Amino acid sequence: MDKIISSSQQQSLIGTHKVLRNTYFLLGLTLAFSAVTATLSTVYALPSPGLILMLVGFYGLMFLTYRLANSPAGIAAAFAFTGFLGYCLGPILSSFLSAGMGDVIAMALGGTALVFFCCSAYVLTTRRDMSFLGGMMMAGFVVLLVAVVANLFLQLPALHLAISALFILFSAGAILWETSNIIHGGETNYIRATVGLYVSLYNIFVSLLSLLGFANRD
């Protein structure tokens, strides 16, 4: 009996490691592809898609990726999703470069990498179950949604900075939760896991750009 249980646990562990390995591999590829599209968008000064088109593209491509996550087409959808978000970054990066704040972009990249490394390393090292964050993240999402909608009308700089800070905290929690979900067998699809981690990294990077850009204004 012990051998049967041990064998079952071993198979589960192998499956978990496979999902984790595939997730990080695909995440690395999609981040590289997103960086390429962001660079092209910046170099060729492509126009901003606008808020409505960006939201339609974001949620539409995310829905498509999740819908196709159990088939090879899901990988193509993931690249389309991350490539589109990379394109959306172009105009933002262009505005920072034209303002002479290229160092802010570098700091935001470094900060994003640091947050991801620390959160992932903590969960992978301690193997702590972070499922308790689920409820808090749902509450945090509602707060962020209300704050974002309110700021569309109020346009308050202080509220904008607060939203950016909250997005960083929320996204760091999402990385902890997603990584824990993978290693404890809650997430068995590496495409869904990749998209979840990518969105968290994207939000952290954009939020750090906002905060650091504000701090570096003359």
Side-chain angles (χ1 to χ4, degrees):
M1 185 66 177
D2 291 338
K3 291 183 178 179
I4 295 177
I5 294 175
S6 179
S7 176
S8 176
Q9 290 176 339
Q10 186 177 15
Q11 290 297 323
S12 177
L13 189 61
I14 292 173
T16 298
H17 284 169
K18 182 179 180 181
V19 173
L20 189 64
R21 182 178 66 251
N22 289 343
T23 297
Y24 284 157
F25 180 68
L26 183 59
L27 180 62
L29 291 178
T30 52
L31 285 172
F33 183 65
S34 184
V36 170
T37 57
T39 300
L40 292 175
S41 180
T42 303
V43 170
Y44 292 102
L46 299 180
S48 173
L51 179 61
I52 295 178
L53 182 58
M54 181 177 179
L55 290 176
V56 171
F58 179 90
Y59 288 106
L61 288 172
M62 176 180 278
F63 174 79
L64 179 65
T65 303
Y66 275 74
R67 185 69 180 270
L68 300 174
N70 292 314
S71 68
I75 297 177
F79 276 100
F81 174 70
T82 55
F84 174 74
L85 288 184
Y87 157 71
C88 293
L89 270 179
I92 300 175
L93 298 179
S94 294
S95 66
F96 276 84
L97 291 173
S98 62
M101 291 194 289
D103 57 328
V104 171
I105 298 176
M107 286 190 290
L109 280 173
T112 302
L114 181 62
V115 172
F116 178 72
F117 174 79
C118 290
C119 291
S120 299
Y122 174 76
V123 176
L124 293 175
T125 302
T126 65
R127 301 191 68 81
R128 185 177 178 184
D129 185 358
M130 308 299 289
S131 59
F132 66 90
L133 290 174
M136 289 186 286
M137 288 180 60
M138 180 57 68
F141 174 78
V142 173
V143 171
L144 279 170
L145 181 62
V146 172
V148 169
V149 172
N151 204 41
L152 289 176
F153 299 97
L154 300 176
Q155 295 294 314
L156 298 175
L159 181 56
H160 177 74
L161 293 177
I163 291 172
S164 296
L166 286 173
F167 258 114
I168 294 173
L169 292 175
F170 177 83
S171 299
I175 293 172
L176 291 170
W177 181 84
E178 188 70 57
T179 306
S180 173
N181 203 27
I182 294 172
I183 66 174
H184 289 98
E187 179 58 86
T188 58
N189 187 286
Y190 69 93
I191 296 177
R192 288 196 299 263
T194 296
V195 170
L197 291 173
Y198 176 91
V199 171
S200 296
L201 290 171
Y202 187 91
N203 286 334
I204 291 173
F205 177 64
V206 173
S207 298
L208 281 175
L209 274 180
S210 180
L211 291 174
L212 293 172
F214 184 84
N216 281 268
R217 286 180 182 175
D218 293 332

